[in-house]
Amino acid sequence: MSGFTRRVEHALADPVLKIAVELTAGTAEAKRATAVAAFPDFEAARARAAAIKDHVVANLGHYLQEFEANAQAAGATVHWARTAEEACETVVGICKRAGARSVARSKSMLGEEIGLPHALAQAGIERIETDLAEHIIQLSGERPSHIVWPAMHKTREQVSALFRARHHEPHLEETIAAMAESARRHLRSAMLEADVGISGANFLIADTGSVCTVTNEGNAELSIVPPRINIVTAGIEKVVPSLPHAIHMLRMLARSATGAALTQYTTFYTGPKRAGDRDGPEEMHIVLVDNGRTDMRESGLAEMLRCIRCGACMNHCVVFRQIGGHAYGGTYPGPMGAVLTPALDGLSANRDLVHACTMNGKCQEVCPVNIPLPTLLRGWREKSWREGLEPQAVRRALGLWAWGVRHPRLYRLGSALAVRAMRMAARAGWISRLPLAGGWTRHRDLPAPEGTTFIEQYARGRRR
Amino acid sequence: MPPSPRPSVALFVTCLVDAMRPRIGFAALAALEDAGCEVVVPAEQTCCGQPALNSGDAAAAAAIARQTIALLEPYEAVVVPSGSCAATIACHYPELLANDPAWLPRAQALASRTYEILTYLDQVCDWRPSAALDASVAYHDSCSGLRELGIKQQPRRLLSHVKGLRQVPLAGAETCCGFGGTFCVKYPSISNAIVEEKAAAIEASGADLLLSGDLGCLMNMAGKLHRRGASTRAFHTLEVLAGVADGPAIGEAP
Ligand code: SF4
């Protein structure tokens, strides 16, 4: 059993997981549908969003340089990191130079991708996750299972028990408000006392050098503004030419993710505190991370760089809805994760991931930037086949079948024999156990073939 | 005015219909002839190659595509009683042969003349069925047909002409049933979890019949309904439209 299959079986056996995933993803699905229906010409807006991203990805160097120059002009320090390791070294280096003991971190998928929590722990720096869901994840020692709702796999009851065990002054009442208040008490002081705040970025605005973040809790603001030093880590594909472009992408992002018109907190930060400013960090560092993105652009995955991490693809995926995010094994789950994980962690360890898709196309249909996820997955499957990573048994069976298909006479003979054999296994029209088709008949019956094949009957003169 | 010549169409029955349920092929013949077409069944047809395509064996898929193109090239139009196989020919053959200058134009030409059968009957032939059936039906939109070929209104419009037929809403009609070609054998337990939900929704719709346009999806859903002991019977949409749904449903002994 591969790691993926093991995680899948584990997930399918967990009834609580199923309820939790269905609740969040189902709500998101309904809300998105309402928001999209109310949007005048969503299709045109979607095409524009895809075009903006394609333009940026095709001219990445240009916009990154523009962003760097303008961010520097606003007083920020820009760092470049080719790999995850370089990115972590840079961040840890800044923290160490500042003598930081604790950092407040606002949730960022890039941070997870480059392994920043681990790197901070290794450097002996205390990390406080300030996003509510990420706080839950930190308390329970797990990893995020969704890119928008990292703790979507947990039910309210589970979170309540966790807070009672781990908060100093836990909630008295079993209400969401009381639980949120408990987390607020726990997190506020930590945020205000942190030496360094680390956040991600939803967009980098090239012509102003600004960083844009969206959160529902305002925790990015609280992690960025009070600490003395602010570090932003961002994938290089996050850059957009200007504010109007960012606004367009924000409209697509919020509606696709939660169905809201805009996220509660949408903030643009430009440089550190200036002379005369009352609040704000004294230093602002922006770490621009490649970590395989340039390679993706060169190797047929450029369209994947359009992704704005809204999570719609996973919310609408039949497979994700059954197995949840942890089963995917990488930082990013669902359809976008199945495309990204092999690019980040290698194909050979993830070949089963690229097959865990029915190719139903729903993910692409709901993707606000129209990423052809099924086509990209098929591309991975082709690469896996070419590189000999597919199991020998599959290769042999498919090879034999394909050879038969190319020899119509033999194919006719083979299908006539197969049909007769299946009919012998049938009882009253149904086959409930068939050797070699255990995957099918373990869970459902197989309708037996009607009689002889269509082509046989047609050749004998049947017309109706 | 001389009568316009009857269009000659090739019927590509699909490997599943050929082996498992030939009556769908005969229903196709009946409906197409009723719509005024002259139908040819190329005897050398096998499979469109989708299993190879979706497994990543692009070379085998391309070889099968070339063979199928050569076989179907002579006909004015090609109709297929399956959205997924029609999409393989119409959408994926040109992609597969994109780097083959000799074959790409041939793939594109065939793609432009290949139709899923309900789309062909509804939009090209402007055919209206004369069948009658006293039953309530739930319609499942199979994914490839829906998203790759835009099959949504065509079957519903055609079904609305069947006397006595009542279309009832099906929750999640556009949600994948978990068949996914080889997906159901590669990941049987995920596929099972998906089709369980589908079957529950079908039962909850209260419909007498489940209809769809792809035999693979139908076999998956019918097989699960049967295992659950449900009474919903399953037919290919075409069987109802051709007026032959008085025969055994999928999985019923003749
Ligand atoms: S692939 Fe598309 S739908 Fe999925 S997270 Fe990215 S932008 Fe959203």
Side-chain angles (χ1 to χ4, degrees):
Chain A
M1 229 188 238
S2 73
F4 178 70
T5 316
R6 210 169 345 96
R7 291 191 299 271
V8 164
E9 294 308 323
H10 187 73
L12 288 174
D14 181 351
V16 176
L17 173 72
K18 171 73 193 159
I19 294 167
V21 170
E22 201 50 43
L23 195 67
T24 308
T27 309
E29 181 180 17
K31 287 193 173 159
R32 175 200 171 270
T34 311
V36 166
F39 196 104
D41 207 351
F42 189 76
E43 270 316 303
R46 187 173 175 245
R48 174 155 183 253
I52 291 172
K53 290 296 287 193
D54 280 353
H55 172 78
V56 165
V57 169
N59 301 283
L60 206 48
H62 169 84
Y63 287 112
L64 286 170
Q65 277 171 13
E66 188 184 352
F67 173 78
E68 180 182 37
N70 289 319
Q72 282 169 345
T77 311
V78 177
H79 309 257
W80 299 84
R82 262 187 318 112
T83 62
E85 294 72 39
E86 274 181 32
C88 288
E89 271 168 32
T90 306
V91 174
V92 169
I94 298 167
C95 295
K96 281 192 170 157
R97 272 195 302 282
R101 287 177 321 271
S102 70
V103 301
R105 206 173 77 106
S106 157
K107 175 202 160 230
S108 112
M109 289 311 296
L110 181 89
E112 302 294 333
E113 176 191 317
I114 60 177
L116 191 54
H118 181 71
L120 290 169
Q122 289 250 301
I125 299 169
E126 192 201 1
R127 167 178 63 98
I128 300 114
E129 292 294 343
T130 65
D131 175 271
L132 178 57
E134 197 75 29
H135 169 61
I136 294 167
I137 293 295
Q138 184 174 32
L139 288 186
S140 61
E142 291 178 75
R143 295 188 318 131
S145 72
H146 190 287
I147 62 173
V148 177
W149 300 282
M152 68 123 56
H153 57 285
K154 290 195 130 24
T155 61
R156 170 145 67 100
E157 290 72 20
Q158 291 173 329
V159 173
S160 173
L162 192 64
F163 282 4
R164 285 194 190 290
R166 306 290 302 275
H167 283 175
H168 304 304
E169 279 177 74
H171 49 295
L172 298 171
E173 289 167 58
E174 272 306 294
T175 61
I176 300 223
M179 282 161 64
E181 196 52 48
S182 170
R184 200 171 276 131
R185 279 193 299 272
H186 191 90
L187 290 174
R188 276 280 157 89
S189 54
M191 284 193 246
L192 295 174
E193 280 157 23
D195 306 304
V196 175
I198 305 180
S199 68
N202 290 86
F203 302 100
L204 306 170
I205 323 290
D207 71 351
T208 61
S210 314
V211 172
C212 170
T213 64
V214 299
T215 68
N216 275 316
E217 298 151 22
N219 62 301
E221 287 75 0
L222 276 174
S223 324
I224 291 172
V225 178
R228 200 162 50 77
I229 294 171
N230 166 223
I231 306 173
V232 175
T233 57
I236 52 174
E237 85 288 8
K238 294 277 177 188
V239 68
V240 292
S242 70
L243 192 60
H245 295 101
I247 299 289
H248 185 76
M249 301 311 292
L250 278 167
R251 298 180 78 198
M252 305 307 283
L253 172 64
R255 281 173 177 82
S256 302
T258 61
L262 208 59
T263 314
Q264 263 87 333
Y265 294 86
T266 301
T267 308
F268 295 83
Y269 315 85
T270 314
K273 179 177 183 169
R274 285 154 301 188
D277 283 354
R278 273 193 55 191
D279 296 311
E282 285 158 25
E283 291 174 29
M284 180 185 199
H285 297 267
I286 303 169
V287 186
L288 298 173
V289 184
D290 186 321
N291 198 28
R293 284 160 175 74
T294 309
D295 289 343
M296 281 168 62
R297 194 174 71 155
E298 313 304 321
S299 63
L301 290 174
E303 287 151 317
M304 200 59 225
L305 295 174
R306 287 183 199 152
C307 179
I308 52 173
R309 310 285 193 260
C310 71
C313 55
M314 53 202 75
N315 296 339
H316 291 77
C317 170
V318 278
V319 175
F320 180 92
R321 292 272 279 256
Q322 296 299 340
I323 65 177
H326 283 153
Y328 288 83
T331 301
Y332 303 99
M336 55 83 88
V339 174
L340 275 176
T341 304
L344 296 169
D345 302 341
L347 178 59
S348 62
N350 292 291
R351 68 150 288 280
D352 38 10
L353 210 56
V354 303
H355 287 281
C357 164
T358 67
M359 294 296 196
N360 67 70
K362 184 73 185 178
C363 49
Q364 179 172 1
E365 184 183 286
V366 298
C367 174
V369 284
N370 195 19
I371 299 176
L373 294 156
T375 309
L376 299 180
L377 280 177
R378 195 178 284 117
W380 276 128
R381 293 180 186 183
E382 283 172 15
K383 189 166 176 9
S384 180
W385 189 277
R386 275 198 313 276
E387 294 183 353
L389 302 174
E390 296 297 304
Q392 273 311 313
V394 173
R395 293 184 77 91
R396 265 198 297 271
L398 206 76
L400 190 67
W401 167 86
W403 184 81
V405 167
R406 295 212 304 280
H407 296 81
R409 293 267 222 66
L410 282 164
Y411 179 86
R412 298 258 74 85
L413 188 67
S415 51
L417 288 173
V419 160
R420 280 164 182 78
M422 276 194 269
R423 283 176 63 77
M424 292 196 329
R427 295 268 172 290
W430 293 96
I431 302 167
S432 52
R433 276 185 67 188
L434 190 68
L436 301 178
W440 181 285
T441 53
R442 197 179 323 139
H443 302 293
R444 43 179 122 44
D445 297 320
L446 182 69
E450 269 194 288
T452 51
T453 68
F454 175 88
I455 297 288
E456 280 179 87
Q457 296 182 41
Y458 188 84
R460 282 203 310 271
R462 180 175 166 194
R463 290 295 178 268
R464 291 249 154 177
Chain B
M1 214 169 71
S4 59
R6 302 188 338 137
S8 90
V9 307
L11 177 64
F12 188 80
V13 291
T14 83
C15 59
L16 272 188
V17 167
D18 178 48
M20 306 303 283
R21 196 160 170 85
R23 67 177 65 229
I24 297 171
F26 291 107
L29 285 177
L32 287 166
E33 281 172 4
D34 190 50
C37 304
E38 187 172 335
V39 191
V40 186
V41 178
E44 304 268 271
Q45 59 179 276
T46 55
C47 167
C48 67
Q50 198 186 130
L53 175 73
N54 278 346
S55 301
D57 190 354
I64 296 170
R66 287 190 193 95
Q67 170 178 305
T68 309
I69 292 167
L71 175 78
L72 298 174
E73 223 160 26
Y75 305 97
E76 236 171 272
V78 173
V79 295
V80 189
S82 151
S84 138
C85 311
T88 299
I89 300 175
C91 307
H92 298 297
Y93 280 10
E95 288 169 7
L96 268 170
L97 299 168
N99 297 321
D100 186 336
W103 281 87
L104 179 61
R106 298 173 70 178
Q108 286 166 333
L110 179 65
S112 68
R113 296 198 310 273
T114 298
Y115 300 86
E116 184 273 335
I117 190 161
L118 302 182
T119 305
Y120 189 75
L121 288 167
D122 179 55
Q123 289 178 311
V124 181
C125 304
D126 213 8
W127 176 70
R128 294 295 168 249
S130 53
L133 188 71
D134 180 16
S136 61
V137 304
Y139 183 84
H140 163 76
D141 296 273
S142 291
C143 304
S144 298
L146 176 68
R147 302 203 177 88
E148 293 184 298
L149 300 174
I151 301 167
K152 176 80 191 164
Q153 293 313 323
Q154 301 90 320
R156 291 177 170 85
R157 192 153 48 224
L158 289 168
L159 285 168
S160 71
H161 291 272
V162 176
K163 281 177 265 320
L165 195 83
R166 299 170 304 282
Q167 299 186 45
V168 302
L170 170 63
E174 292 186 9
T175 304
C176 175
C177 74
F179 174 64
T182 51
F183 175 81
C184 63
V185 289
K186 283 188 295 199
Y187 290 112
S189 46
I190 307 178
S191 174
N192 174 51
I194 298 171
V195 73
E196 277 289 359
E197 267 173 39
K198 192 83 206 179
I202 295 164
E203 287 177 48
S205 78
D208 305 322
L209 308 184
L210 166 70
L211 301 185
S212 192
D214 264 281
L215 184 55
C217 317
L218 280 162
M219 286 170 49
N220 181 37
M221 294 181 287
K224 179 47 91 177
L225 287 165
H226 188 254
R227 183 65 61 93
R228 285 166 65 102
S231 60
T232 325
R233 305 166 72 221
F235 287 96
H236 192 286
T237 314
L238 203 51
E239 295 179 72
V240 171
L241 297 174
V244 298
D246 48 359
I250 290 169
E252 287 174 3

